[in-house]
Amino acid sequence: MNEPTTPYDWHRPAVRDAAAVEVHHPTPLAPIPHTAPLVPMQTGTIPAVTSIVLPDGRVVTGYAMEPVKPEPVVVKPPVSRAAVNIALGGIGFAAVCGGLVLLTTFIVALAALVHQLIILAAVIFGGWVAVQVFSASGHGGGTTVNIRKAVIKRNKFYG
């Protein structure tokens, strides 16, 4: 168990026996004679077998693959309909906002005019009342009673 071992060299690959490596070469199959009638097949359904010889002498056999053709690209408009509709809605809203600003300005101006008219009417009516109360011009048609000597007997007025 405790036998000395040879040092392992990490830089050199391990040497294997040449007899342990087996090389397999494909053997071609002999063609089979056709006894049954051939059924016609559509061309292009079974691709042809292709053999390629590599630079080191190996032969690779397989089916040739056709490149995948991409589906045709559907031409889309540069801008989506939803974006156009949103933009048009924004333009319409901006146009309406100008009218709404003018409408609110008109309503505020009308309210201010009514307010001023009410104040003007109060001033004019109040002035007219003041003139009526404080005027010193003659009698306006009321009854004036001058009391100089008044005698009241038994709740009766004698003037």
mmCIF file of all heavy atoms in Angstrom, residues 90-106:
data_model
loop_
_atom_site.group_PDB
_atom_site.id
_atom_site.type_symbol
_atom_site.label_atom_id
_atom_site.label_comp_id
_atom_site.label_asym_id
_atom_site.label_seq_id
_atom_site.Cartn_x
_atom_site.Cartn_y
_atom_site.Cartn_z
ATOM 1 N N GLY A 90 -55.933 65.855 -27.828
ATOM 2 C CA GLY A 90 -55.233 66.919 -27.110
ATOM 3 C C GLY A 90 -55.356 68.255 -27.814
ATOM 4 O O GLY A 90 -55.553 69.293 -27.186
ATOM 5 N N ILE A 91 -55.263 68.235 -29.149
ATOM 6 C CA ILE A 91 -55.404 69.481 -29.919
ATOM 7 C C ILE A 91 -56.822 70.023 -29.771
ATOM 8 O O ILE A 91 -57.030 71.220 -29.561
ATOM 9 C CB ILE A 91 -55.036 69.238 -31.391
ATOM 10 C CG1 ILE A 91 -53.541 68.958 -31.518
ATOM 11 C CG2 ILE A 91 -55.429 70.440 -32.249
ATOM 12 C CD1 ILE A 91 -53.119 68.489 -32.888
ATOM 13 N N GLY A 92 -57.813 69.137 -29.844
ATOM 14 C CA GLY A 92 -59.201 69.573 -29.678
ATOM 15 C C GLY A 92 -59.450 70.118 -28.289
ATOM 16 O O GLY A 92 -60.133 71.131 -28.117
ATOM 17 N N PHE A 93 -58.874 69.472 -27.278
ATOM 18 C CA PHE A 93 -59.055 69.944 -25.902
ATOM 19 C C PHE A 93 -58.414 71.318 -25.725
ATOM 20 O O PHE A 93 -58.982 72.194 -25.073
ATOM 21 C CB PHE A 93 -58.442 68.938 -24.924
ATOM 22 C CG PHE A 93 -58.630 69.310 -23.490
ATOM 23 C CD1 PHE A 93 -59.873 69.189 -22.896
ATOM 24 C CD2 PHE A 93 -57.569 69.779 -22.733
ATOM 25 C CE1 PHE A 93 -60.057 69.532 -21.573
ATOM 26 C CE2 PHE A 93 -57.748 70.127 -21.416
ATOM 27 C CZ PHE A 93 -58.995 69.999 -20.828
ATOM 28 N N ALA A 94 -57.236 71.515 -26.327
ATOM 29 C CA ALA A 94 -56.577 72.820 -26.229
ATOM 30 C C ALA A 94 -57.420 73.897 -26.905
ATOM 31 O O ALA A 94 -57.510 75.025 -26.416
ATOM 32 C CB ALA A 94 -55.188 72.748 -26.855
ATOM 33 N N ALA A 95 -58.045 73.544 -28.033
ATOM 34 C CA ALA A 95 -58.893 74.519 -28.717
ATOM 35 C C ALA A 95 -60.120 74.851 -27.880
ATOM 36 O O ALA A 95 -60.550 76.007 -27.804
ATOM 37 C CB ALA A 95 -59.309 73.971 -30.080
ATOM 38 N N VAL A 96 -60.692 73.856 -27.219
ATOM 39 C CA VAL A 96 -61.875 74.090 -26.385
ATOM 40 C C VAL A 96 -61.497 74.893 -25.145
ATOM 41 O O VAL A 96 -62.277 75.721 -24.677
ATOM 42 C CB VAL A 96 -62.521 72.739 -26.009
ATOM 43 C CG1 VAL A 96 -63.552 72.903 -24.926
ATOM 44 C CG2 VAL A 96 -63.157 72.121 -27.240
ATOM 45 N N CYS A 97 -60.306 74.664 -24.609
ATOM 46 C CA CYS A 97 -59.890 75.374 -23.397
ATOM 47 C C CYS A 97 -59.860 76.878 -23.633
ATOM 48 O O CYS A 97 -60.227 77.651 -22.744
ATOM 49 C CB CYS A 97 -58.516 74.888 -22.941
ATOM 50 S SG CYS A 97 -58.595 73.309 -22.102
ATOM 51 N N GLY A 98 -59.438 77.311 -24.822
ATOM 52 C CA GLY A 98 -59.455 78.738 -25.123
ATOM 53 C C GLY A 98 -60.864 79.288 -25.052
ATOM 54 O O GLY A 98 -61.106 80.354 -24.477
ATOM 55 N N GLY A 99 -61.819 78.548 -25.609
ATOM 56 C CA GLY A 99 -63.219 78.972 -25.554
ATOM 57 C C GLY A 99 -63.750 78.959 -24.139
ATOM 58 O O GLY A 99 -64.518 79.841 -23.738
ATOM 59 N N LEU A 100 -63.342 77.963 -23.345
ATOM 60 C CA LEU A 100 -63.786 77.912 -21.953
ATOM 61 C C LEU A 100 -63.226 79.075 -21.150
ATOM 62 O O LEU A 100 -63.906 79.632 -20.286
ATOM 63 C CB LEU A 100 -63.372 76.582 -21.319
ATOM 64 C CG LEU A 100 -64.119 75.347 -21.821
ATOM 65 C CD1 LEU A 100 -63.547 74.099 -21.182
ATOM 66 C CD2 LEU A 100 -65.596 75.457 -21.540
ATOM 67 N N VAL A 101 -61.992 79.464 -21.435
ATOM 68 C CA VAL A 101 -61.416 80.615 -20.740
ATOM 69 C C VAL A 101 -62.205 81.869 -21.085
ATOM 70 O O VAL A 101 -62.516 82.681 -20.213
ATOM 71 C CB VAL A 101 -59.921 80.767 -21.099
ATOM 72 C CG1 VAL A 101 -59.386 82.106 -20.646
ATOM 73 C CG2 VAL A 101 -59.121 79.639 -20.471
ATOM 74 N N LEU A 102 -62.544 82.020 -22.369
ATOM 75 C CA LEU A 102 -63.339 83.188 -22.765
ATOM 76 C C LEU A 102 -64.722 83.145 -22.125
ATOM 77 O O LEU A 102 -65.253 84.184 -21.705
ATOM 78 C CB LEU A 102 -63.464 83.248 -24.285
ATOM 79 C CG LEU A 102 -62.185 83.624 -25.034
ATOM 80 C CD1 LEU A 102 -62.422 83.559 -26.531
ATOM 81 C CD2 LEU A 102 -61.725 85.003 -24.639
ATOM 82 N N LEU A 103 -65.326 81.958 -22.055
ATOM 83 C CA LEU A 103 -66.654 81.827 -21.455
ATOM 84 C C LEU A 103 -66.612 82.189 -19.974
ATOM 85 O O LEU A 103 -67.466 82.937 -19.487
ATOM 86 C CB LEU A 103 -67.173 80.397 -21.643
ATOM 87 C CG LEU A 103 -68.566 80.120 -21.086
ATOM 88 C CD1 LEU A 103 -69.595 80.955 -21.825
ATOM 89 C CD2 LEU A 103 -68.885 78.654 -21.188
ATOM 90 N N THR A 104 -65.626 81.693 -19.247
ATOM 91 C CA THR A 104 -65.531 82.032 -17.827
ATOM 92 C C THR A 104 -65.241 83.512 -17.634
ATOM 93 O O THR A 104 -65.760 84.133 -16.702
ATOM 94 C CB THR A 104 -64.449 81.180 -17.136
ATOM 95 O OG1 THR A 104 -63.225 81.336 -17.844
ATOM 96 C CG2 THR A 104 -64.829 79.720 -17.111
ATOM 97 N N THR A 105 -64.433 84.092 -18.503
ATOM 98 C CA THR A 105 -64.166 85.530 -18.423
ATOM 99 C C THR A 105 -65.456 86.312 -18.641
ATOM 100 O O THR A 105 -65.729 87.300 -17.939
ATOM 101 C CB THR A 105 -63.111 85.927 -19.467
ATOM 102 O OG1 THR A 105 -61.950 85.120 -19.274
ATOM 103 C CG2 THR A 105 -62.744 87.383 -19.356
ATOM 104 N N PHE A 106 -66.260 85.883 -19.597
ATOM 105 C CA PHE A 106 -67.528 86.557 -19.865
ATOM 106 C C PHE A 106 -68.459 86.447 -18.659
ATOM 107 O O PHE A 106 -69.118 87.420 -18.273
ATOM 108 C CB PHE A 106 -68.192 85.948 -21.115
ATOM 109 C CG PHE A 106 -69.552 86.487 -21.401
ATOM 110 C CD1 PHE A 106 -69.721 87.758 -21.930
ATOM 111 C CD2 PHE A 106 -70.682 85.733 -21.114
ATOM 112 C CE1 PHE A 106 -70.983 88.261 -22.186
ATOM 113 C CE2 PHE A 106 -71.944 86.230 -21.361
ATOM 114 C CZ PHE A 106 -72.094 87.498 -21.900
#
